[in-house]
Amino acid sequence: MTEIPEIIADQPRLNDECRRLKHAGVFAFDTEFIRDDTFDSKLCLIQVACDGRVVLIDPTGEIDVGGFWKLVHDPKILKIVHAGKEDFEVCC
């Protein structure tokens, strides 16, 4: 049975997830973004998998994803990415 991914759209839940990811020491992520009529990418979704869980982070609302990007930049944490060049373009 496949679990339904959790959608994270508020700061407290994102902060909790970032703590879990840091503690795990490894996670996979992928981003979705749009570039309609502009050269700048607009981040629309961050998909994260860790320890058999999948979460979808919604960065389009009132949420600061800076804590997640700190984990991405942390050399002590192993990250698995798909098409990483594009992901790192929107990684602030």
Side-chain angles (χ1 to χ4, degrees), residues 39-73:
F39 290 109
D40 295 325
S41 300
K42 178 171 173 48
L43 181 62
C44 298
L45 181 68
I46 304 170
Q47 303 160 96
V48 183
C50 179
D51 291 335
R53 294 178 61 240
V54 174
V55 298
L56 306 175
I57 302 170
D58 178 1
T60 63
E62 299 287 322
I63 191 170
D64 178 5
V65 294
F68 177 78
W69 294 132
K70 285 181 183 177
L71 296 175
V72 170
H73 289 279

